[in-house]
Amino acid sequence: MKLETEKMPKLGFGLMRLPKKGEEVDLDAVKKMVDTCMEGGMNYFDTAYVYHSGKSEGIAKEVLVSRYPRENFYLATKLPAWELKGPEDRDRIFREQLTRCGVEYFDFYLLHSVEDEENYEIYEKYDCFRWTLEKKKAGQIRHFGFSFHGTPGLLEQILDKYPEVEFVQIQLNYMDWDNPKVQSGKLYEILHKRGIPIIVMEPVKGGNLASLPPEADGLLKAEHPDASSASWALRFAASLDGVMTVLSGMSTQEQMEDNLHTFGQFEPLTEKEKEVLQAVVKKMNEIPQVPCTACGYCLDGCPKSIRIPDIFRALNSRRLYPDSPGAKNQYDALIKEGSGKAGDCIECKQCEGVCPQHLSITEYLKEAAETL
């Protein structure tokens, strides 16, 4: 089946940061968000085997698959390298995913978080690229690709070796375009030059670009007083040639409605607006931030149950607003909710081993312990 990019919705719903009621996902709220998304014509839903501690795929079944005809939406999920101990695990996990989601096939299937060294080596060791092609021939996958967190060199190596790849999902936003660790711009150019459709993840950088410091946000408000900061980030990604779908890990109904407004009346960035974003990047780069995207990969293996992404969010708030009590209040609330303290870290560095952003997490936790 040929990938018809022109039929794909520009906005996709990422089921990774769903709203919660206490410790559990708020299914009623998610159903409302799904309904709003579908009514707005945005019918691409992205989940993964590990999202929400393995519950996201089952949630997709409850809020989407069991409520809408199968042909009315696109469903994507992913195979995690770190769960593979042998080739038999590929099929075991795939069967489990079909059952969890309640489907007979996936519209899009990805090898999850391909990156240099360990993850890529595991996918190669168990011949996962060829295995995925076999699943496509069997009709259990309509289109296959991978999500990527590696270097431009590795990306070209993979695409040379596996020309059958139909799409690639990359982290792309205006702050990471020239980021030497993420290299969004270089990854985009490689894919665009080869004519490979791009799915964008982290367009709002884990929500960071939805809530800018006042001096940066002021530049956007001066140009468009009524436009949200998030809408600028989404328009940046969606304005690029070759971008098929932009994923947003929406957590509230308000975010859903704002994003649908952006894409329902979509207008590519003008040259003047691009200049405004360049000024925002310059202003933001003057304020050092922990570049965490809150993906949550670091959480499950932490022996001290430290809610690392939430602590980094508080640390970034302290860096931006050193005289405000907000960051300390945010941190104290996390501890009351059961998170380990930043100072509880024993520097096992399990978190650093799975971090797609390759952050020096233990060093940032030391700073958080000192300042919060």
Side-chain angles (χ1 to χ4, degrees):
M1 178 178 291
K2 184 179 184 296
L3 178 52
E4 298 177 299
T5 58
E6 68 278 1
K7 294 184 179 181
M8 294 295 296
K10 273 295 186 180
L11 175 66
F13 188 179
L15 306 179
M16 185 173 75
R17 300 184 179 96
L18 298 174
K20 289 189 173 184
K21 184 182 292 184
E23 292 300 314
E24 298 298 323
V25 171
D26 187 340
L27 293 176
D28 289 335
V30 179
K31 288 177 182 178
K32 182 179 179 181
M33 293 173 71
V34 167
D35 292 344
T36 304
C37 196
M38 292 290 284
E39 289 167 6
M42 303 299 171
N43 60 345
Y44 185 99
F45 298 86
D46 173 88
T47 183
Y49 188 73
V50 297
Y51 289 172
H52 282 282
S53 299
K55 297 179 181 179
S56 179
E57 290 172 331
I59 291 169
K61 177 180 179 179
E62 185 163 352
V63 303
L64 175 69
V65 177
S66 64
R67 301 173 65 238
Y68 286 92
R70 183 65 183 89
E71 65 275 11
N72 286 14
F73 58 87
Y74 300 103
L75 182 62
T77 194
K78 310 174 188 74
L79 179 75
W82 51 96
E83 297 287 342
L84 302 178
K85 308 305 178 185
E88 66 281 357
D89 287 333
R90 303 170 307 183
D91 287 291
R92 175 186 60 79
I93 289 173
F94 189 79
R95 288 193 300 268
E96 188 176 348
Q97 291 176 305
L98 291 173
T99 300
R100 281 181 176 183
C101 292
V103 297
E104 295 181 353
Y105 67 91
F106 293 110
D107 300 280
F108 293 80
Y109 197 77
L110 301 83
L111 302 184
H112 198 166
S113 192
V114 176
E115 56 184 310
D116 300 69
E117 299 179 356
E118 187 171 1
N119 279 5
Y120 176 61
E121 290 175 0
I122 291 172
Y123 289 130
E124 284 287 82
K125 179 179 180 180
Y126 299 127
D127 202 21
C128 292
F129 287 88
R130 301 296 181 198
W131 170 85
T132 311
L133 282 171
E134 292 172 4
K135 291 298 180 186
K136 182 183 177 184
K137 289 179 182 178
Q140 294 178 299
I141 294 170
R142 295 290 170 86
H143 306 289
F144 93 99
F146 55 90
S147 63
F148 191 75
H149 289 283
T151 61
L154 177 61
L155 180 59
E156 292 200 285
Q157 176 185 334
I158 294 172
L159 297 176
D160 286 342
K161 186 171 183 179
Y162 302 105
E164 304 91 346
V165 168
E166 297 176 88
F167 67 94
V168 178
Q169 184 168 305
I170 61 170
Q171 179 173 320
L172 189 155
N173 56 69
Y174 64 80
M175 283 301 298
D176 287 329
W177 189 258
D178 293 314
N179 183 325
K181 287 189 176 180
V182 182
Q183 303 186 79
S184 290
K186 290 182 179 179
L187 299 178
Y188 167 79
E189 292 298 339
I190 290 170
L191 294 168
H192 184 48
K193 184 178 180 180
R194 292 174 181 249
I196 297 175
I198 299 167
I199 296 177
V200 171
M201 57 182 164
E202 304 294 357
V204 195
K205 200 171 171 64
N208 291 333
L209 302 184
S211 182
L212 301 175
E215 53 266 45
D217 192 54
L219 297 173
L220 302 183
K221 294 302 183 187
E223 186 68 20
H224 295 303
D226 297 328
S228 67
S229 298
S231 70
W232 281 84
L234 293 171
R235 288 178 62 214
F236 172 84
S239 295
L240 295 165
D241 290 339
V243 168
M244 181 173 67
T245 298
V246 178
L247 296 176
S248 178
M250 295 167 276
S251 302
T252 67
Q253 181 70 16
E254 291 73 23
Q255 291 172 359
M256 173 66 73
E257 292 175 358
D258 182 53
N259 290 352
L260 287 174
H261 177 77
T262 298
F263 284 94
Q265 307 176 35
F266 184 75
E267 296 181 3
L269 291 177
T270 65
E271 290 304 315
K272 183 179 179 182
E273 289 172 329
K274 292 176 184 177
E275 291 175 1
V276 171
L277 281 183
Q278 289 175 356
V280 169
V281 171
K282 182 179 179 181
K283 183 67 67 175
M284 292 289 287
N285 283 336
E286 295 171 357
I287 307 171
Q289 294 280 280
V290 180
C292 171
T293 66
C295 68
Y297 295 174
C298 55
L299 294 175
D300 287 345
C302 179
K304 294 298 183 179
S305 301
I306 301 171
R307 288 166 54 175
I308 296 167
D310 294 320
I311 288 177
F312 285 172
R313 190 174 296 113
L315 178 58
N316 281 336
S317 294
R318 171 52 59 91
R319 288 183 175 189
L320 288 171
Y321 310 107
D323 298 324
S324 171
K328 184 66 167 63
N329 293 340
Q330 185 179 353
Y331 178 76
D332 290 344
L334 286 173
I335 305 307
K336 289 181 180 179
E337 291 171 5
S339 170
K341 297 179 181 179
D344 292 339
C345 174
I346 60 173
E347 298 188 53
C348 67
K349 299 193 176 183
Q350 181 277 339
C351 53
E352 296 184 6
V354 298
C355 177
Q357 311 304 319
H358 311 295
L359 302 181
S360 298
I361 294 175
T362 54
E363 293 302 313
Y364 287 129
L365 287 175
K366 289 178 183 178
E367 179 185 347
E370 293 174 0
T371 61
L372 296 172

